[in-house]
Amino acid sequence: MTEIKLYNTKTRKKEVFTPINADNVQMYVCGPTVYDRAHIGNARPVIVFDTLFRLLRHVYGESHVTYVRNFTDVDDKINARAAESGRTIGEITQETTQWYLDDMAAVGALEPTHMPRATAYIAQMIAMIADLIAKGHAYEAEGHALFRVRSYEQYGALSGRSVDDMIAGARVEVAPYKEDPLDFVLWKPSSAEQPGWDSPWGRGRPGWHIECSAMAYDLLGDSFDIHGGGNDLQFPHHENEIAQSKCAGHGFANYWMHNEMLQVEGKKMSKSLGNFFTVRDLLDQGVPGEVIRFVMLSTHYRKPMDWTEKKRVEAEKTLYNWSKHHLDFSVAEQVPHEVVRLVSDDLNTAGAIAEIHKLHSAGQHSEVLAALRFLGFFDEPEELLGKFAGGLLTQLSELELFNFAHLLTQARQTAMQTKDFSEVDRLKTAFIEAGLEVRMSKEGVELVPSAGFDPAKLEGLL
Ligand code: AMP
Ligand code: ZN
């Protein structure tokens, strides 16, 4: 079996991955808060952990991997969006959830096995909070339930900070009802207009962190293999998840993985800098989802990544160039070993892409396609050409050439059967008259423009 190595944030080491149960490898990744379109940074963890999901399925078998990614559908940002738009919370979360699923499908992400919504797990959260209070790790104060951070000795171990450093560095909320400024909210009271549920501490709603502990326990059990999310979630979110779950007596996650942040053109993305955009913005501009995925996977997930227009264009050219050969080749049965080995080495997707470049140069087109599909590109290879033809590449004359070459390839295929080569001859003559050199080989057809190439002469042919 392929050996997988993963960098574990908890130990700060790359470790050999050994699942608790190879028949059911389990992974939990923190999902989005649903009140707006996913921005391009939000797509990074989705694509990274989708690639890991695909690798695990490849190694352990498709039906032997369980992947949970939640939807946070109770949050003050959602309440604010509802208030300012005059729409209901339900409308906003439902619409945004569907947007998210559509946009992430467009960048080639498989749907996780389970996608729990926080509001469907309120009872489980209340039970966990009650248990933490009973065990002395949490307390009730003025309609709130709060986690007693200093009751968990290893608090801070994941991100490698001491409790005292955290107080100094973090924007911890000081509130009169807290025993300690570091204590975080498990439950808070709701006003009549705010969404709320009855609980032993009055009508209220959960704090953010408890949902992941409660849903992971409900869906994955006492212990599971991998927990993932963006770097920004290490503290406080993941520290809090660990504290809650460990103090409730659970094993929780064995391997912690974090992707680094994405910037845009060298700057932190922000609406005020004007470099903020969503996945949907790019798709609407005609950027194929594969291009977004390709740019993401070109940088190792533990390195900061810079989204640039230059990379976008390069990715588009590369994918276009590779996909050109698709018409004449089929998918290899085996994903090239070296590609699997590289991805198994802590998701070295940049290395895998370099390897695909080599395979392409060596003319191993069916291996190129097998490797690309393993990385989550072109689940439907038949759609590949259409997707690229609809994208920005239509502006390039190269694409037109490709389409003409495709026409000739098809005509040749038909002629082989009918033995009528008149259409092949007609096309060849037209191409040559327009100033194209026609190269026909077993591999396919290539059209190379010569100095006097005049595209106008080809009008009406396609
Ligand atoms: P949020 O909806 O803000 O909780 O974020 C959802 C996911 O996107 C989390 O895993 C975040 O870590 C991740 N994320 C947010 N911003 C970025 C960014 N600029 N780069 C990479 N990941 C991000
Ligand atoms: Zn979480």
Side-chain angles (χ1 to χ4, degrees):
M1 188 176 279
T2 310
E3 183 179 83
I4 298 178
K5 287 193 211 125
L6 301 174
Y7 181 87
N8 191 348
T9 310
K10 195 164 84 175
T11 57
R12 287 168 195 74
K13 279 201 220 53
K14 199 159 37 168
E15 296 175 357
V16 173
F17 174 67
T18 314
I20 298 166
N21 174 7
D23 283 333
N24 185 18
V25 180
Q26 302 198 108
M27 169 161 85
Y28 185 97
V29 175
C30 298
T33 304
V34 278
Y35 65 100
D36 211 344
R37 284 273 182 196
H39 61 63
I40 186 72
N42 296 136
R44 191 173 192 197
V46 175
I47 292 169
V48 165
F49 292 104
D50 177 70
T51 306
L52 177 58
F53 183 38
R54 287 171 186 269
L55 171 69
L56 294 170
R57 282 158 57 103
H58 180 82
V59 173
Y60 294 96
E62 284 195 9
S63 57
H64 298 286
V65 185
T66 302
Y67 173 18
V68 178
R69 188 186 62 213
N70 66 304
F71 282 110
T72 302
D73 62 347
V74 49
D75 186 279
D76 291 346
K77 287 190 282 266
I78 305 173
N79 303 346
R81 182 56 56 94
E84 78 201 18
S85 65
R87 303 174 68 200
T88 67
I89 288 173
E91 276 168 10
I92 290 173
T93 57
Q94 235 178 15
E95 177 183 69
T96 317
T97 298
Q98 194 54 51
W99 282 347
Y100 188 83
L101 293 174
D102 295 344
D103 296 350
M104 297 310 133
V107 298
L110 298 171
E111 285 202 351
T113 324
H114 302 286
M115 296 187 281
R117 290 176 301 115
T119 52
Y121 286 80
I122 300 288
Q124 289 87 334
M125 293 187 224
I126 291 175
M128 195 174 230
I129 297 169
D131 182 46
L132 288 170
I133 292 177
K135 288 176 171 151
H137 290 293
Y139 55 96
E140 182 188 356
E142 295 178 28
H144 293 73
L146 294 139
F147 188 90
R148 193 175 273 132
V149 166
R150 287 190 197 266
S151 78
Y152 180 57
E153 256 184 34
Q154 290 168 61
Y155 193 85
L158 177 74
S159 51
R161 303 171 208 219
S162 75
V163 170
D164 296 311
D165 286 351
M166 283 183 227
I167 296 179
R171 277 180 280 166
V172 287
E173 196 192 340
V174 186
Y177 49 82
K178 283 186 178 181
E179 286 178 5
D180 188 304
L182 216 55
D183 293 350
F184 61 87
V185 171
L186 297 167
W187 191 264
K188 57 188 172 187
S190 291
S191 66
E193 313 81 60
Q194 287 169 326
W197 292 262
D198 289 328
S199 82
W201 320 287
R203 184 177 174 279
R205 59 196 192 283
W208 169 35
H209 315 293
I210 192 69
E211 71 179 77
C212 291
S213 288
M215 292 189 284
Y217 181 57
D218 194 83
L219 291 164
L220 301 177
D222 181 76
S223 300
F224 55 95
D225 299 299
I226 300 167
H227 192 310
N231 237 351
D232 57 332
L233 300 184
Q234 259 190 59
F235 174 79
H237 184 54
H238 290 162
E239 293 288 4
N240 294 357
E241 283 188 24
I242 293 173
Q244 294 160 166
S245 294
K246 290 283 187 187
C247 290
H250 307 147
F252 214 45
N254 287 340
Y255 299 84
W256 282 85
M257 294 178 68
H258 293 96
N259 63 273
E260 256 288 356
M261 294 291 104
L262 175 145
Q263 297 195 321
V264 173
E265 307 285 351
K267 296 197 183 72
K268 190 176 167 174
M269 212 184 346
S270 89
K271 286 192 174 144
S272 59
L273 284 177
N275 65 350
F276 179 96
F277 51 90
T278 66
V279 173
R280 180 51 53 183
D281 290 336
L282 287 178
L283 296 170
D284 285 349
Q285 285 161 27
V287 178
E290 282 83 356
V291 169
I292 300 174
R293 190 176 181 96
F294 192 90
V295 172
M296 295 279 182
L297 295 183
S298 302
T299 300
H300 189 251
Y301 78 96
R302 281 195 289 117
K303 293 199 179 118
M305 95 150 265
D306 197 17
W307 178 280
T308 64
E309 182 61 11
K310 186 161 174 272
K311 283 186 189 169
R312 206 260 306 144
V313 171
E314 283 301 314
E316 199 148 348
K317 279 192 191 152
T318 302
L319 278 175
Y320 167 65
N321 198 20
W322 290 349
S323 64
K324 267 201 294 200
H325 295 270
H326 131 87
L327 295 166
D328 299 321
F329 64 85
S330 53
V331 192
E333 271 179 28
Q334 287 262 322
V335 183
H337 283 302
E338 184 59 7
V339 171
V340 178
R341 191 192 67 75
L342 287 160
V343 179
S344 302
D345 184 9
D346 194 32
L347 303 183
N348 183 1
T349 50
I353 287 173
E355 180 63 22
I356 300 175
H357 273 290
K358 276 193 222 157
L359 292 168
H360 175 74
S361 305
Q364 292 177 263
H365 301 308
S366 57
E367 281 76 11
V368 168
L369 188 54
L372 284 173
R373 295 186 73 191
F374 168 65
L375 287 175
F377 296 94
F378 313 128
D379 278 332
E380 305 290 339
E382 304 73 32
E383 290 176 5
L384 188 154
L385 177 61
K387 269 193 182 166
F388 276 79
L392 292 184
L393 282 160
T394 40
Q395 295 158 16
L396 303 178
S397 65
E398 205 190 342
L399 181 71
E400 290 165 49
L401 288 182
F402 176 39
N403 284 337
F404 287 123
H406 178 42
L407 211 61
L408 188 49
T409 307
Q410 278 185 327
R412 186 171 62 163
Q413 270 166 6
T414 311
M416 302 278 223
Q417 273 154 24
T418 61
K419 306 288 172 216
D420 173 4
F421 283 82
S422 57
E423 176 65 3
V424 175
D425 292 336
R426 184 183 78 89
L427 288 170
K428 267 175 78 172
T429 309
F431 293 153
I432 292 163
E433 276 181 6
L436 289 169
E437 188 193 326
V438 182
R439 295 180 188 163
M440 292 176 89
S441 71
K442 272 203 299 240
E443 265 76 60
V445 174
E446 208 181 346
L447 300 176
V448 185
S450 56
F453 175 50
D454 179 6
K457 289 203 175 140
L458 294 172
E459 258 169 43
L461 262 188
L462 202 61

